[in-house]
Amino acid sequence: MMQLAHAADVTVVGGGLAGVTAAVSAARNGAKVALINNRGVLGGNSSSEIRVWVVGATAHGAQKFARETGLMGELFAENQWRNPEGNPILWDHVVLDLVRAEPNITLFLNTEVREVEADGEEHDRVIRSVTGWQSGSEKLITFESPIFLDCTGDGLVGLLAGARFATGREDRGAYGEEWAPEVADDDMLGSTILFYTKDTGHPVRFVPPGITKDIEAFDLPLRRHIDPGMNGCDYWWIEWGGELDAVADNERIRDELWGIVFGIWDHIKNSGRFEADNLTLEWVGSLPGKREYRRFLGDHVLTQQDITGQTRFPDAVGFGGWSIDLHPPGGIYADDSPSKHLFGPGLYDIPFRCLYSANVRNLLLAGRDISASHVAFGSTRVMATCAVVGEAAGAGAALAVRRGVTPREITASHMDELQSMLLRQDASLLGVPWQDPSDLALKAVVTASSTLTRLAGGADGEPEPFPIGEADFGLLLPADPRIDVVRIGVDAARATTATVELWGTGGGLNHIPVEPLARREVPVEAGRGLLEARFDDVPPGGGEVVVVVRRNADLAVLAGAGRPPYGVLGLLSREPALDTGKPQSNAWSAFELRRRTPRFEVEPATAAYRPEQVAGGPARPYDGPNLWVSEGGGEQHVELRWSEERTIGRVELIFNDDVDEDLINLHHHRTPYLVPPELVKDYRIEVERTGGRETALSVTGNRMRRRVHVLDPATRAGALRVVVTATNGDERTMIVAVRVFET
C-alpha cells in the first residue's frame, strides 16, 4: 500500500455529470483540478453501470428553446455525432473524453473518499483535506486544495465536513409550498434498477433466480404498463426505498429491486401473455440509481414558488425547466400514480447562493445535493440540470481561487465576473447581458451580406391541414418591433368565424401564451385561404408574442414541410390551457409542428434577425431569437468594422445548433440527423488591413456550436468578416455571436 498526497487548486469529489462539468469548467478557467470518482466510469446515474437517460430543461420537448448549452450542450452534441443509437458504453467514453481532453485535470477513478479533515466553529467550518482509497492500485491519497466541491450525490463530503443539510420532506409551513405535505417526514424519492433485453433470433427459456418476486401477487401488471418491447428507462417506475434510508439500506434496496426486475421478466417470459420466446436478458443493473438523499443548505433554499413563479435572481448562474416531478415514497408498491408533475410557464433561474454551503466556507455543491427544498429538488435533480449547476460551481471555484475569496464573497463582490465567465463559455444562463468590455465586437459597426426581414412561411408545396377542433393553435412570433397584421393559412369546412387572439409570453423565460393582449373575431369563407387578423392598434411591447386561433371544429391550419424562420413555432394546446388561469408550458405542444412551417405572413417587416445582434445580447432565444439570419443561401457573411485598426488575437464564435431540439444520450428517441442542419459547416475568417482583405483561417466540416480561434501571430485589422460558405443543411446562414479579443 502507498500513501500519497495530491495538491490542486480545486478538488471535485464525485464523477457524475455535475462533477464532470464542475471539473472541466474549473480547469478551462485556469484551475488545477483533482477529479475523484468512486467508480471506474464517469457519468454517475447516466453511466453504463446504471443507464438513466440524461434529461433536463427541455422536459422531453415540453419546454421550448430550452436545451442546455455550455458543457452539457457539448456532451449532447458529441454524443449525437458519435453515438446516435444511444449505446451506454459509448456514452461513457464521450464523457471520459471530455475530461481527458483537459490538461488541468488529474483524474482519480475507483477512489472512494471516506475521510474529511475540517475544523472551525459550527457556523464557520473549513475543509483542509479529503482522503480517498483507490482500491485497484491500493493507494491511500490525501487531497489538499483551497476549494472543494461535493458532487457525490449523497453528500458524504459535506456530511463529514459538518455542513448543514436536510433530508426527507419539509412540512408545508416550512417554505409555504403547496406541494409539501402537511406534516414533515423522512420520506424521499426511491431508487431504481433498470434492465435491457435483446432478440436472439431463436427461443430462449428463462429460469427465475431465487430472488425473483411474484409481481402478480401485488397486482403490479394491473397498475403498470409492461411490454416486451420496453427497455432501460422505459421502466423508470421500478422504484423502491423511499421510506428507507437510501444509504444505510442500500443493500436491501438493491435486493428488492433485483427481485422486482426478475419478477417483471418472469412475467414477460413465462406468463404466456406476451410474444417473447426469442427475447433474453442482455443486462441488469447491479447499482441502485438513487434519486434523493442529503440536500445541503446554502444562503438560499430554492422552493416551489421560485420555480413556478420564476423568481429572477441577481446571482443567477443557470436555469432548469424539468417539471417538479415527485414520486410516492412507497414506489412500486404504492397505489398512487408513479409520479406527479407540476409545470410553470417556462424556465426558471438557479442562483449561485444555492451552490455553496452556508457554514463551510470553502465547500461548493453541485448535482442533486444543492440547496433546495424537497419539492424544488423534484425539478433540479435531473442530470442535465445537475450538469448546468456543475459548470457554474466549477467556474465559481476557479474564480474563488483566482481572487483568493470564498464562494460567499463571490456573491457579494464578484458576481458580474462570474456571470461573464459563464456567458463567455456559452453556459446555460438566461437574461444576463453580455457586456465584457474586453470584447472588441461591442465597439464595432456590424453589417451583413443580407438579412432576413420577412416573417412568412409555408407558401411552397402542398400544405397539410392540421384540424383544430380539439386544440387551440398558437403561432409564436418575434415582435420586433411590432406585429400589426397576421395572416394564417386555413382550410374551412364551411363558412365560420374564427376567434383570433394576441398574447404576450410574460418574458424571455417563456415561449407560450401567458398574458392576453387583444382579441379579434374574423369571418372565414369556406375552402382554403388566408385568415387575416389586424393588431395594429395594440401597443408594441417587443419580445415575443403568440397569435392564437381558438379551437374551431370547422377549421384546420395549413402547414408544409421545412422549418419556419428561426424563433417561430407552431403550437397546439393539449387542453383548454388558456382558460385555466395557470399557464403551463407542457399544455402547449410543439411536437406536431416542429420542423414544419405553418402557412403564415406577418406585417410589418421584422428586425428580429439584424446582424448587430452577433455583438452582445443573449446568445440564445430570450424575448426573441437573438441571432443574425441571412435572407437567402449561398455564400454569406457578417462583418465587424472599427474606426481604426485593432489588434485581434482571438475570435470566439457561437453558431446556431437549434436549442429547441430535444437531444438525449440514450434511447428515448432518435433525431433524424447527426449534426443540426442550422449549424454552420464551412466558414473562413477574413481580416482587412491597409493592404486589403486576407483570409486568416478556414474551417470545413464544423459540427460544434462554439468555436474558439487564436490568430497566431496576433493581427492588426480594421475589419473582420466571418464568411460562411456552407451550412449542415439549412437554406439560410445563422450566427449567434462573434466575440473578438486582443489576446
Side-chain angles (χ1 to χ4, degrees):
M1 184 187 82
M2 291 183 284
Q3 294 188 13
L4 305 174
H6 183 88
D9 297 321
V10 175
T11 298
V12 179
V13 186
L17 293 188
V20 164
T21 57
V24 173
S25 180
R28 289 187 182 179
N29 282 288
K32 297 293 185 182
V33 180
L35 174 58
I36 308 165
N37 193 39
N38 63 349
R39 308 298 302 177
V41 294
L42 297 171
N45 278 340
S46 76
S47 75
S48 61
E49 292 189 315
I50 299 176
R51 306 192 182 189
V52 177
W53 58 45
V54 178
V55 296
T58 58
H60 289 322
Q63 302 280 21
K64 292 77 181 168
F65 300 109
R67 193 178 77 247
E68 294 78 9
T69 50
L71 293 173
M72 189 64 246
E74 287 185 34
L75 287 169
F76 275 141
E78 187 65 16
N79 191 69
Q80 176 82 359
W81 170 256
R82 286 164 52 175
N83 184 29
E85 292 79 18
N87 185 316
I89 305 298
L90 297 181
W91 168 250
D92 285 348
H93 287 273
V94 169
V95 178
L96 181 62
D97 285 352
L98 180 74
V99 171
R100 290 204 185 277
E102 297 301 325
N104 278 349
I105 297 178
T106 304
L107 177 62
F108 298 84
L109 295 174
N110 296 305
T111 303
E112 185 77 57
V113 168
R114 56 192 187 191
E115 294 180 12
V116 174
E117 181 186 355
D119 55 36
E121 299 296 325
E122 187 279 335
H123 66 279
D124 189 21
R125 303 278 292 167
V126 178
I127 300 176
R128 303 301 179 184
S129 67
V130 301
T131 300
W133 171 253
Q134 192 172 54
S135 56
S137 58
E138 296 186 350
K139 294 176 182 176
L140 188 66
I141 309 170
T142 298
F143 300 88
E144 297 179 343
S145 63
I147 296 290
F148 292 83
L149 282 93
D150 188 333
C151 306
T152 61
D154 289 336
L156 180 61
V157 173
L159 172 73
L160 296 177
R164 299 170 188 154
F165 67 90
T167 59
R169 305 188 296 184
E170 297 91 353
D171 62 66
R172 192 167 299 174
Y175 300 111
E177 297 171 308
E178 182 182 354
W179 269 34
E182 290 285 355
V183 179
D185 56 40
D186 295 328
D187 291 345
M188 304 182 220
L189 275 66
S191 301
T192 289
I193 282 179
L194 302 171
F195 67 96
Y196 276 47
T197 69
K198 69 176 181 180
D199 191 329
T200 64
H202 58 80
V204 178
R205 69 192 183 107
F206 174 65
V207 179
I211 205 169
T212 303
K213 295 280 183 181
D214 180 3
I215 65 167
E216 295 193 28
F218 56 94
D219 296 328
L220 178 64
L222 299 178
R223 295 185 286 110
R224 300 287 189 270
H225 175 64
I226 297 174
D227 189 297
M230 291 164 54
N231 265 294
C233 271
D234 294 331
Y235 287 104
W236 61 266
W237 43 261
I238 299 176
E239 178 179 358
W240 191 71
E243 297 169 314
L244 303 178
D245 186 304
V247 170
D249 297 314
N250 184 70
E251 299 294 293
R252 178 185 171 189
I253 292 170
R254 180 204 58 216
D255 288 351
E256 189 74 16
L257 290 170
W258 263 346
I260 294 165
V261 165
F262 287 118
I264 290 172
W265 189 240
D266 184 38
H267 178 70
I268 290 173
K269 288 290 290 184
N270 297 325
S271 68
R273 301 175 190 177
F274 303 96
E275 295 182 6
D277 289 350
N278 292 356
L279 294 181
T280 189
L281 282 175
E282 181 182 34
W283 170 86
V284 177
S286 58
L287 295 174
K290 295 178 184 176
R291 287 182 173 86
E292 181 178 8
Y293 202 52
R294 300 181 185 97
R295 292 169 281 108
F296 290 94
L297 301 179
D299 282 348
H300 181 79
V301 177
L302 200 72
T303 65
Q304 174 183 339
Q305 296 92 315
D306 290 331
I307 291 176
T308 60
Q310 299 177 298
T311 303
R312 302 313 308 265
F313 295 104
D315 60 328
V317 289
F319 65 73
W322 190 259
S323 65
I324 293 176
D325 174 10
L326 299 178
H327 302 182
I332 202 164
Y333 297 118
D335 292 330
D336 301 339
S337 170
S339 66
K340 63 176 185 176
H341 299 259
L342 177 62
F343 277 91
L347 305 178
Y348 61 86
D349 282 346
I350 300 173
F352 187 63
R353 284 168 295 153
C354 291
L355 308 189
Y356 59 83
S357 169
N359 70 309
V360 180
R361 70 167 70 174
N362 62 339
L363 177 62
L364 281 153
L365 313 163
R368 57 186 171 91
D369 63 358
I370 68 170
S371 182
S373 71
H374 167 80
V375 174
F377 156 88
S379 174
T380 63
R381 65 186 176 83
V382 292
M383 280 186 281
T385 305
C386 290
V388 165
V389 300
E391 181 170 6
L399 180 58
V401 171
R402 184 190 310 164
R403 297 299 180 200
V405 298
T406 66
R408 177 176 282 130
E409 289 171 322
I410 289 176
T411 300
S413 305
H414 301 279
M415 185 49 57
D416 288 348
E417 186 175 4
L418 176 57
Q419 290 176 330
S420 182
M421 290 166 62
L422 292 169
L423 290 172
R424 186 164 181 176
Q425 60 199 51
D426 195 29
S428 301
L429 182 58
L430 283 168
V432 178
W434 168 254
Q435 49 192 9
D436 188 331
S438 66
D439 181 7
L440 300 178
L442 299 177
K443 304 175 179 69
V445 175
V446 186
T447 58
S449 51
S450 70
T451 299
L452 179 65
T453 59
R454 183 168 180 263
L455 272 182
D460 299 331
E462 184 63 22
E464 177 185 355
F466 283 80
I468 58 170
E470 298 180 358
D472 298 326
F473 166 76
L475 186 65
L476 176 72
L477 298 167
D480 190 350
R482 57 183 298 128
I483 299 292
D484 287 347
V485 181
V486 179
R487 301 180 185 93
I488 297 174
V490 294
D491 188 352
R494 59 186 60 83
T496 186
T497 298
T499 299
V500 185
E501 299 169 345
L502 188 68
W503 288 71
T505 60
L509 298 174
N510 311 322
H511 305 282
I512 64 168
V514 173
E515 302 166 342
L517 301 175
R519 182 185 181 99
R520 305 286 184 263
E521 300 295 330
V522 180
V524 180
E525 296 181 357
R528 292 195 170 190
L530 287 174
L531 176 160
E532 179 178 290
R534 303 191 67 90
F535 300 104
D536 46 335
D537 60 340
V538 179
E544 294 175 323
V545 296
V546 183
V547 177
V548 174
V549 182
R550 288 291 197 135
R551 58 193 68 198
N552 185 319
D554 295 325
L555 278 182
V557 172
L558 300 176
R563 172 113 204 198
Y566 198 74
V568 175
L569 278 184
L571 308 172
L572 294 174
S573 66
R574 293 191 173 99
E575 57 189 47
L578 295 174
D579 302 321
T580 64
K582 294 183 178 180
Q584 295 183 332
S585 56
N586 65 318
W588 290 90
S589 171
F591 175 79
E592 295 83 355
L593 292 166
R594 189 170 267 125
R595 296 197 175 275
R596 300 186 66 83
T597 305
R599 174 79 173 89
F600 77 101
E601 302 171 359
V602 174
E603 295 178 6
T606 184
Y609 307 106
R610 58 193 183 277
E612 56 264 34
Q613 293 183 117
V614 304
R620 58 182 298 138
Y622 180 87
D623 269 342
N626 297 309
L627 75 174
W628 165 65
V629 180
S630 70
E631 184 175 18
E635 183 172 293
Q636 300 282 342
H637 71 262
V638 65
E639 179 180 280
L640 283 67
R641 183 171 294 276
W642 295 273
S643 58
E644 57 186 16
E645 286 193 349
R646 303 281 187 151
T647 299
I648 300 173
R650 184 180 176 100
V651 180
E652 300 180 3
L653 304 173
I654 300 178
F655 299 121
N656 180 28
D657 68 346
D658 187 15
V659 294
D660 188 50
E661 188 70 68
D662 179 31
L663 301 182
I664 200 163
N665 64 320
L666 299 181
H667 65 270
H668 179 267
H669 63 269
R670 180 87 179 261
T671 304
Y673 54 74
L674 297 179
V675 180
E678 294 83 1
L679 199 65
V680 165
K681 181 180 181 182
D682 302 335
Y683 64 95
R684 63 182 183 269
I685 294 178
E686 297 178 349
V687 293
E688 181 185 303
R689 40 187 152 192
T690 305
R693 184 179 296 117
E694 61 186 61
T695 298
L697 60 90
S698 296
V699 174
T700 59
N702 175 60
R703 54 184 178 82
M704 299 172 67
R705 172 181 166 89
R706 181 174 182 261
R707 296 299 303 263
V708 176
H709 298 292
V710 176
L711 304 189
D712 188 22
T715 301
R716 293 285 295 178
L720 178 144
R721 276 188 182 183
V722 181
V723 182
V724 177
T725 56
T727 70
N728 281 281
D730 201 278
E731 174 188 2
R732 301 182 179 99
T733 294
M734 307 180 205
I735 298 179
V736 175
V738 180
R739 297 167 182 169
V740 183
F741 303 90
E742 288 190 358
T743 58

